[in-house]
Amino acid sequence: MNTFTYKIDDHLSLAFPHLEAAEKLFSLLESDRPHLEAFIDVLAETRTSNDEKNFIKTKLHGYAEGTDYLFFILLD
């Protein structure tokens, strides 16, 4: 799926989240959970890909209300 991205430089971009990314994002977070939990406090509440999907939904709703912003950081 194509999504809005903002290119920062030749290697780094910001991407607007979409629900289809939830499973892949959860898998990435799960692969390094012990390390990431020190930096991402909401990770403790994310135990399934459905939890990740609900988190993205919450952030998208917040974006629509003007209260939240969530962007993915893409490298290469």
Side-chain angles (χ1 to χ4, degrees), residues 10-45:
D10 289 340
H11 302 283
L12 198 60
S13 298
L14 296 177
F16 197 75
H18 53 87
L19 293 177
E20 292 81 5
E23 192 168 318
K24 184 173 183 179
L25 179 59
F26 177 75
S27 179
L28 289 169
L29 293 171
E30 194 65 17
S31 71
D32 202 12
R33 180 177 288 274
H35 175 75
L36 294 173
E37 283 181 325
F39 303 99
I40 305 173
D41 58 347
V42 296
L43 194 56
E45 301 169 19

Side-chain angles (χ1 to χ4, degrees), residues 45-61:
E45 301 169 19
T46 307
R47 295 292 175 192
T48 67
S49 60
N50 196 48
D51 292 339
E52 186 63 37
K53 191 174 198 175
N54 288 331
F55 176 75
I56 292 171
K57 283 181 185 179
T58 298
K59 292 302 174 182
L60 290 173
H61 179 74

